[in-house]
Structures are given as C-alpha cells and as structure tokens.
Amino acid sequence: LEDTATNHDALCAFILGYITAEVQTLSVMASRRSSSNPLLALVLDGLQLPFRFEPPKASFIHYISANVGLIGLQVTAEIANPLPQVIVLGAMDLSIREKTTRGMDIFHLKGNETTGLGGQELQPGNSKLHLSLSTMDANLKDLFLVGRLIKDAVDGSV
C-alpha cells in the first residue's frame, strides 16, 4: 500500500476498517507488469478481482498504567501498531471514559503538540504512549461519577 494523493482517502478508510476489524471489499487489479513470466503476464493483464478482506480481531491497547495525584495524572499505555510503518499521532481526539468505551467522559483531549499527544510515534509492533493530564481538565462535575472514581481508585481498578 502506498499513500498517494489519489488514494489517500481510500487508504485512510482501509486503515480505520482494519483497526475496527470490519469486513471490507478490496479489488486487486493486475497488469502485464504483474508478472515477469510473459505467458502469465498475458493472462493477468486486465484482471480485476474483488475479494472480502476481514482483518483478525486484535487488542491494540495492551495495558494502561497511571499514577494519580492531586494535581495530575501520568499515564503510560502500551499500544500495538500492526502496520509495517511508524504511525505519527497528529490532530486527533482522545476520550478517556469510565470503565468502557460507552462510559462517561472523564478526559477529552484534542491531540496536538501542546497536549503531549500529538507528535508521538508508534513504532511497528508495540510502543509506549505517554500522557500527562491535569485534574483541572477532568470532567468532574458529576458527583456520582467522582464517587465511583474514588471507589474504583480504592479498589485499585481505575
């Protein structure tokens, strides 16, 4: 896969589909240059073959550890990058939620250079992502949420 101006949107959609393990229809297009064998090159020339691609389900976040203090939170996460190239985190949104992806937002970060999220690189394989969060940026207006977070912290399950 090569990222070019003409296929950038399709490549981004493919990567997002890969991450979410969605079944995607892909087309393989062959030409005479697809084989160095002259006979096979004739057979392959103009061949277009659609197929359904389903990536394996994978866990991209291996673990998260956090040190919680009164004024801040230091977070380290080990993230899997299944691609054979470096992923540079840029303009992205990151929500840290209570217990599940559908839980209440505790932090919502806009990823850029100033938050410490943007510019970090995820190497192929496993990489560590580091975040420094201020408790002043936390969404702690809901007292029931604060109570649950304190209970979870006491139980060691934040």
Side-chain angles (χ1 to χ4, degrees):
L1 294 175
E2 187 174 330
D3 188 8
T4 65
T6 55
N7 75 349
H8 179 77
D9 291 341
L11 184 62
C12 287
F14 174 75
I15 292 170
L16 180 61
Y18 187 99
I19 290 171
T20 57
E22 293 175 6
V23 176
Q24 302 180 69
T25 301
L26 300 177
S27 291
V28 174
M29 294 176 273
S31 70
R32 287 181 185 223
R33 294 178 292 163
S34 299
S35 175
S36 59
N37 180 303
L39 181 58
L40 191 53
L42 283 173
V43 172
L44 292 175
D45 191 29
L47 178 69
Q48 189 169 3
L49 179 66
F51 68 96
R52 293 169 42 91
F53 173 76
E54 182 175 6
K57 295 202 182 291
S59 226
F60 292 99
I61 301 174
H62 291 225
Y63 74 84
I64 298 174
S65 64
N67 293 323
V68 181
L70 289 176
I71 59 169
L73 180 67
Q74 302 295 317
V75 179
T76 300
E78 185 174 275
I79 310 288
N81 172 5
L83 301 176
Q85 61 203 35
V86 174
I87 296 174
V88 179
L89 301 180
M92 61 183 283
D93 288 342
L94 175 68
S95 291
I96 298 173
R97 297 187 174 158
E98 180 189 22
K99 297 199 186 226
T100 70
T101 56
R102 291 187 173 82
M104 290 185 66
D105 270 355
I106 299 170
F107 287 97
H108 185 89
L109 303 172
K110 298 281 188 188
N112 58 39
E113 306 292 330
T114 58
T115 62
L117 182 59
Q120 290 196 53
E121 295 183 351
L122 301 178
Q123 299 295 324
N126 295 329
S127 293
K128 290 198 168 134
L129 177 67
H130 301 281
L131 297 172
S132 294
L133 307 171
S134 168
T135 52
M136 301 305 286
D137 296 329
N139 179 24
L140 300 176
K141 298 175 189 120
D142 182 334
L143 293 179
F144 293 110
L145 171 64
V146 172
R148 288 192 306 269
L149 292 172
I150 291 171
K151 180 186 178 310
D152 289 344
V154 169
D155 294 343
S157 63
V158 171

